[in-house]
Amino acid sequence: MKAETLLLAVGIEAGYGRVQVLWGIDLAVLERETVVLLGANGAGKTTLLKTLLGLVPAWRGAVRFLGEEVTAWRTDHRVRRGMAYMSETAVFPGMTIEENLLIGGQFLSGSALRRRTGELYAIFPALGERKRALASSLSGGQRKMLGIAKALAGDPRLLVMDEPSAGLSPLFVKEVIRVLEQFRSRGLTLLVAEQNVKFLELADRVYTLEGGRIGFAGTVAAMHENDALKRAYFGLK
Ligand code: ATP
């Protein structure tokens, strides 16, 4: 059976004021796929993710999610429909662990939210042990775990993540990848913007973003066969 296209972006152009950042982006994420969007600082990754979520308006082009055109939808409507977004900062530091999860799952009914937070505390026991601690009291790595739990609290179909590795030690990067692998095996669909090629371990497909344009789109294996990409992203001669 052919996998359903969960997210489809066609011809996306966007920017800030008069400055255009994205130039005709086409991108698709299929159901249960993990797609990594690889790009250097300033390539436009955050802008693209925010445009997909409706946090930055698209100047031109269309975004479709679960078969519906959502280009003009407000962000909260997209989230209710099943999108979740984890920004680089990921959590509200002045709120407790529990409050962060309740905000992440705010569109669920009371009983569904209780069930979901229970599941998440079972997956992240370190969070469950300290529900009333402020997020600001957590280490960088634990905060990132809370960010993932918060983004997943609403039980989304698609998790869109902006640089989950930012500010993390290599050990925690490994831990984040391990946790995402777990959710992926339970059927979660992921779109992850990263500079860290370690995340390609998770990827079914890769897009590279260069100066606001898609450079390469394909499998990780195809990327490895391309010498120019290998030099640019893996530092190989
Ligand atoms: P990073 O890894 O640094 O977050 P990125 O690939 O996510 O990089 P963006 O944050 O999308 O890139 O930035 C793309 C371009 O848009 C950059 O030139 C940046 O300076 C510019 N830009 C980003 N946010 C704004 C804003 N709010 N107003 C004006 N320009 C912006």
Side-chain angles (χ1 to χ4, degrees), residues 151-184:
L152 292 175
D155 205 5
R157 293 281 291 269
L158 170 69
L159 174 56
V160 176
M161 308 180 92
D162 195 2
E163 289 200 47
S165 79
L168 292 187
S169 68
L171 199 66
F172 265 115
V173 169
K174 256 192 173 156
E175 184 62 13
V176 166
I177 290 174
R178 192 190 62 78
V179 163
L180 293 178
E181 186 73 64
Q182 255 183 27
F183 284 102
R184 182 177 181 248

Side-chain angles (χ1 to χ4, degrees), residues 58-119:
W59 292 355
R60 270 177 289 283
V63 180
R64 296 181 70 81
F65 182 59
L66 284 167
E68 280 182 283
E69 169 146 11
V70 301
T71 324
W73 287 22
R74 285 186 350 214
T75 301
D76 59 317
H77 290 169
R78 301 185 204 206
V79 170
R80 280 173 196 270
R81 196 80 177 86
M83 285 188 184
Y85 178 57
M86 183 176 129
S87 70
E88 264 185 82
T89 40
V91 301
F92 296 117
M95 292 183 166
T96 65
I97 289 173
E98 179 114 304
E99 286 165 346
N100 268 282
L101 293 191
L102 296 181
I103 286 179
Q106 63 185 299
F107 298 124
L108 294 183
S109 70
S111 59
L113 183 54
R114 270 191 300 281
R115 202 169 42 240
R116 185 65 179 162
T117 49
E119 281 169 15

Side-chain angles (χ1 to χ4, degrees), residues 174-213:
K174 256 192 173 156
E175 184 62 13
V176 166
I177 290 174
R178 192 190 62 78
V179 163
L180 293 178
E181 186 73 64
Q182 255 183 27
F183 284 102
R184 182 177 181 248
S185 65
R186 293 164 178 225
L188 181 69
T189 306
L190 282 165
L191 172 61
V192 187
E194 262 299 340
Q195 314 196 28
N196 187 332
V197 290
K198 274 238 47 79
F199 277 79
L200 295 181
E201 285 174 18
L202 277 176
D204 295 302
R205 283 188 309 119
V206 190
Y207 289 89
T208 64
L209 193 61
E210 295 151 22
R213 292 180 165 86

Side-chain angles (χ1 to χ4, degrees), residues 16 21 40-47 88 163 195:
Y16 306 95
V21 173
N41 268 332
K45 301 183 296 297
T46 302
T47 306
E88 264 185 82
E163 289 200 47
Q195 314 196 28

